[in-house]
Amino acid sequence: MRPRFLAAAFVLFCVAAFLNLREAGSQGSNASGFVAPVAMALPELLHPAVDPAFGTSVVRITKPGPLGNGVVCGPKYCSHRYSSAQAWNADQTLLLLANGCNGMCFLDGHTYVALFWRNRGGECEWHPRNAELMICVQGRTVSTWAPRTNHEDILFTSADYHDLQFGPSKGNPSRDGSRIAVRAVRKDGADVVFAYDLDHREKYPDIDLSRVPGKASSCTISPLGAYILCFQNLPDGTEQRAVFNVDGTLRQRWTDHHRPGHGDLTVDSDGSEVYVGISKSDPDKFHIIKRRLSDGKVTSLTAYGQAEHASTRAVAKGDWVFLSYGGDPAEVAANPGWAPYAREIIALRIDGSGAVRRMVQTRNPPSDYWSETHASPSPDGTQVIWSSNWGVPGGPVYEFVARLDWREHQNPKEVVANDQP
């Protein structure tokens, strides 16, 4: 099917889905209580369907085997990289599948037709402003790379460091794409992190990670480039957080376990940089919380719930966090004091108002890591990519994109949920 025809068909479908959503009544996005699972057949590949629970348009974009133009999905899963990693480029013309594909696999960002694949090492994340570029870290180098042309420009290289990493896994550039945090092993064997300014090709001072207890698992620059947030694993299983200024000053140590974790960074309405995720410590265990990088202040945003991952990749909707909920629907239904979401993707406003957008039921019973939902929105928040085994634990894990229409939800009071702490 031709991409132009797919695009036209999708526009017509979205009109129908919008009308269907308006008729969804108490089961639409404004519903604040538990919504029981609604059966839905597995959508055909690249054929838009409607989620019967919330009226949202859904497209399945993968299947095991060839997708076209040399792109091939593995038999078990084929997915975007992670909830806190941006899957789309800056103008949403390209969509990246990084797990279970035969390399880095690029789809059309709107029709989801397979376009091309690249075989390269290292860790690469989309540049948030330049749609043609990714920022890559590998070996001894930091570079920018254009996937369409396969052209690479080396920005930083040094014999004084090796094993450079972008995170690993949880690294993101600053919102303007000017800074990243680079993990490295210095020539004296020290495990360090440093900020790097891509625009000015300027390296900031080394931060020796042995200064704080535990083993650093990952580090990332903050959205405004002011801080480096590092995740520290202690021998007793506690996962702590350390916040450094880019000059190396230790600003905060969060010694409570996973408070929060499985989260993402964004900028609050007052300009503060915050980490939003799932707390695994009292007094807000299994709440969604935000924690301010400057002083560690914690704000609980929901009641106890079954959220698994949080993403703030929708920069244009920076005051919303996209949440992937797992859990057993029967258990959630039996506990009215809990956040009323099970196997569902929602967006939650982080201003404390309780405003919620209910998006789609994932039909994704627990199985393994690769089948976790890991919802990640596009930069403008109109699309969200997610994974599901579609009711078959151990079966193939497919990728889906839900298309979102924010226009009918201008007033947060229309979507205030009853799950506040």
Side-chain angles (χ1 to χ4, degrees):
M1 187 176 292
R2 295 180 180 177
R4 183 176 296 178
F5 177 82
L6 273 172
F10 195 82
V11 169
L12 292 174
F13 170 78
C14 285
V15 173
F18 173 75
L19 295 174
N20 185 73
L21 178 63
R22 292 187 64 181
E23 295 174 357
S26 63
Q27 292 191 34
S29 296
N30 291 347
S32 59
F34 174 76
V35 177
V38 182
M40 180 183 179
L42 177 68
E44 295 183 34
L45 184 69
L46 298 183
H47 284 259
V50 174
D51 174 74
F54 302 121
T56 310
S57 60
V58 177
V59 182
R60 178 164 66 96
I61 66 172
T62 66
K63 66 177 180 65
L67 295 183
N69 289 320
V71 174
V72 181
C73 281
K76 294 184 178 180
Y77 58 89
C78 190
S79 62
H80 63 294
R81 194 175 67 73
Y82 188 60
S83 52
S84 62
Q86 180 52 260
W88 279 269
N89 65 343
D91 65 3
Q92 297 178 211
T93 55
L94 291 176
L95 174 62
L96 172 63
L97 301 180
N99 304 323
C101 208
N102 61 324
M104 298 178 72
C105 297
F106 296 88
L107 313 183
D108 184 287
H110 296 286
T111 66
Y112 320 119
V113 171
L115 297 178
F116 61 94
W117 65 280
R118 297 283 183 252
N119 185 13
R120 69 159 294 145
E123 298 172 277
C124 298
E125 299 293 340
W126 287 114
H127 192 291
R129 297 284 178 85
N130 189 329
E132 296 304 313
L133 296 181
M134 301 193 82
I135 302 166
C136 300
V137 178
Q138 181 182 20
R140 296 182 184 271
T141 66
V142 176
S143 64
T144 56
W145 172 60
R148 292 184 192 269
T149 63
N150 212 19
H151 177 76
E152 185 169 20
D153 286 318
I154 304 299
L155 305 180
F156 170 83
T157 187
S158 172
D160 293 334
Y161 304 89
H162 61 90
D163 293 339
L164 270 62
Q165 294 179 301
F166 199 165
S169 300
K170 295 182 180 180
N172 275 307
S174 59
R175 279 193 173 180
D176 62 3
S178 66
R179 290 182 180 179
I180 63 172
V182 180
R183 287 281 305 284
V185 179
R186 201 166 54 201
K187 64 180 179 181
D188 63 1
D191 186 11
V192 302
V193 64
F194 55 83
Y196 184 76
D197 188 309
L198 285 74
D199 292 346
H200 299 97
R201 302 194 178 193
E202 177 185 359
K203 176 189 171 296
Y204 282 73
D206 290 349
I207 301 171
D208 190 332
L209 291 170
S210 66
R211 290 168 48 192
V212 291
K215 175 69 175 176
S217 61
S218 186
C219 296
T220 186
I221 202 79
S222 62
L224 302 180
Y227 304 106
I228 293 176
L229 173 67
C230 291
F231 304 83
Q232 302 290 125
N233 295 328
L234 273 63
D236 64 0
T238 302
E239 295 187 19
Q240 299 185 358
R241 312 289 181 243
V243 182
F244 299 92
N245 291 342
V246 292
D247 66 3
T249 304
L250 179 61
R251 186 66 177 260
Q252 286 282 305
R253 272 195 64 213
W254 303 343
T255 59
D256 30 13
H257 173 62
H258 244 282
R259 192 166 181 250
H262 296 293
D264 204 354
L265 289 159
T266 190
V267 181
D268 217 339
S269 58
D270 63 358
S272 300
E273 297 179 279
V274 294
Y275 184 46
V276 186
I278 299 99
S279 174
K280 293 188 179 180
S281 293
D282 292 330
D284 40 40
K285 193 171 185 178
F286 296 114
H287 293 214
I288 304 300
I289 66 171
K290 64 179 178 181
R291 194 159 190 174
R292 200 156 56 196
L293 299 189
S294 62
D295 60 8
K297 180 185 176 182
V298 173
T299 303
S300 179
L301 301 174
T302 69
Y304 180 103
Q306 299 293 306
E308 295 178 336
H309 295 279
S311 178
T312 57
R313 291 302 92 200
V315 177
K317 299 287 183 183
D319 56 345
W320 293 78
V321 59
F322 287 64
L323 300 170
S324 304
Y325 274 83
D328 179 352
E331 183 182 21
V332 174
N335 288 274
W338 291 9
Y341 317 112
R343 299 177 192 172
E344 186 176 331
I345 299 168
I346 71 166
L348 169 72
R349 202 162 198 167
I350 68 169
D351 62 357
S353 67
V356 168
R357 278 294 317 271
R358 302 186 76 159
M359 297 178 180
V360 67
Q361 291 186 341
T362 64
R363 298 163 181 85
N364 192 27
S367 179
D368 58 19
Y369 173 81
W370 295 112
S371 67
E372 291 180 6
T373 299
H374 292 160
S376 182
S378 61
D380 68 358
T382 64
Q383 304 181 82
V384 59
I385 189 169
W386 47 283
S387 306
S388 175
N389 57 32
W390 211 257
V392 184
V397 177
Y398 307 100
E399 281 288 272
F400 300 85
V401 174
R403 298 295 295 261
L404 310 173
D405 186 349
W406 294 81
R407 290 174 298 176
E408 62 174 319
H409 298 284
Q410 297 292 327
N411 184 355
K413 293 181 180 178
E414 294 179 354
V415 289
V416 173
N418 61 359
D419 63 339
Q420 289 303 287

